Amino acid sequence: MLFRLVLASLIALITLPAQAQSTKGVFYDCNMTRQKDFEFWVSSKIGIVVLNDGKVVVSDRVTLAYGESIVYAQVTRNTATDLHIKWSLEGGLRRGEVLFPYAEYTAKLSKASKKLRVSGKLRGNRRSFFGRGQCTERVK
């Protein structure tokens, strides 16, 4: 079910009107393992789309819980071998009385091995959380 939601969100991005309809890119479909203490904050499934124009979007269970289907990530490094990105989610009241804090993420993807490392932290919390995963590359 989660996979379908993430996939639908990413497909919706690629089929947006105007410029995105003709945009092609690479979709990394990543299965993650995560640290037990912060299981919610690293999803078991993360989708990353690298568009041909250089923009990168992320979608997972956490972005969906924040009320976002996708989040644009900032590319901090993109070489033939590695992709490093970072993104943040702003907190606030969402879905009733649930208050989500401000969350910051970084991710490093090895393009050769398709291994993904994700780390993050919550504003005001010294502890960080992390996950590692294996991605499958899908080209549209």
Side-chain angles (χ1 to χ4, degrees):
M1 176 79 169
L2 173 62
F3 173 72
R4 282 186 244 159
L5 287 172
V6 171
L7 187 58
S9 297
L10 294 170
I11 289 171
L13 168 75
I14 294 174
T15 59
L16 285 173
Q19 75 190 59
Q21 281 186 358
S22 61
T23 303
K24 296 184 181 207
V26 179
F27 169 38
Y28 293 97
D29 176 9
C30 307
N31 293 308
M32 305 295 295
T33 57
R34 56 208 180 206
Q35 179 184 349
K36 293 281 184 207
D37 291 346
F38 289 94
E39 280 192 1
F40 171 79
W41 298 104
V42 176
S43 295
S44 59
K45 178 73 78 173
I46 297 176
I48 299 171
V49 176
V50 181
L51 299 170
N52 281 349
D53 64 3
K55 293 180 181 173
V56 176
V57 294
V58 177
S59 184
D60 64 4
R61 177 182 60 174
V62 181
T63 59
L64 293 170
Y66 271 74
E68 306 291 334
S69 58
I70 60 167
V71 174
Y72 283 90
Q74 178 185 356
V75 177
T76 57
R77 178 182 172 152
N78 190 3
T79 66
T81 58
D82 296 303
L83 173 67
H84 297 191
I85 58 175
K86 64 181 183 178
W87 68 97
S88 60
L89 298 167
E90 294 183 20
L93 281 174
R94 309 272 194 224
R95 296 192 183 156
E97 297 300 316
V98 177
L99 178 64
F100 291 105
Y102 187 90
E104 299 172 333
Y105 288 86
T106 60
K108 296 178 181 180
L109 173 70
S110 167
K111 292 179 181 177
S113 67
K114 309 293 186 285
K115 291 184 187 273
L116 179 67
R117 291 181 296 155
V118 175
S119 62
K121 62 182 179 175
L122 304 176
R123 182 175 283 169
N125 190 328
R126 295 183 340 189
R127 293 182 64 190
S128 59
F129 45 89
F130 63 91
R132 295 177 190 262
Q134 185 66 47
C135 303
T136 302
E137 182 179 330
R138 301 173 190 219
V139 178
K140 177 174 170 37

